[in-house]
Amino acid sequence: MISSFELLLNDALNKVADAINRHERNEKAPLSIQALAQVKKELEEMIRVMDPKVYMPGYPRFIIDWPGEDVLIKELVHVAALYEKIRKS
C-alpha cells in the first residue's frame, strides 16, 4: 500500500521532472536544471528510504533563498519539512 505521503513525494517528483523538461525545451521554469536534477535525486532517495533518521535531503538549504517567487520551490521546502517529521514504528 502506498502512503499518502509517498503520493505527495511522487507528485513533487513529477513536478520536478516537468520543470526539467521545460528547461530542456527552453521554456520558463523554476530553479536551474542542475538544481532540479539534484532535487530529483534527493526526492527519489526520500521515497526509497522513507526515514529521516536514515536520510535527510539537503536541497532545502540551497533552494530556500533562490531568487524569485515560485510555487514549486515553496512546495519542495514544505515536502522536506513534512518528511523530517516522519516517525517510523
Side-chain angles (χ1 to χ4, degrees):
M1 183 174 119
I2 295 177
S3 71
S4 59
F5 187 68
E6 190 172 351
L7 290 173
L8 182 68
L9 285 171
N10 280 311
D11 182 55
L13 184 60
N14 289 335
K15 289 176 182 177
V16 167
D18 179 60
I20 290 170
N21 289 334
R22 285 188 283 154
H23 270 291
E24 290 171 346
R25 294 188 308 261
N26 292 320
E27 298 174 1
K28 183 175 173 28
L31 300 167
S32 68
I33 198 162
Q34 296 84 5
L36 289 165
Q38 180 62 35
V39 170
K40 181 177 183 269
K41 283 180 17 183
E42 293 189 28
L43 285 170
E44 290 168 342
E45 188 67 7
M46 290 162 67
I47 292 167
R48 188 184 72 74
V49 173
M50 288 299 263
D51 186 347
K53 291 179 182 171
V54 175
Y55 177 78
M56 273 303 295
Y59 74 79
R61 291 187 295 280
F62 68 85
I63 69 168
I64 192 90
D65 293 326
W66 200 272
E69 285 289 313
D70 190 84
V71 174
L72 180 59
I73 293 171
K74 290 179 183 177
E75 182 175 341
L76 291 170
V77 171
H78 179 70
V79 165
L82 290 176
Y83 178 81
E84 188 174 0
K85 295 178 183 180
I86 291 175
R87 300 283 181 250
K88 287 294 205 182
S89 312

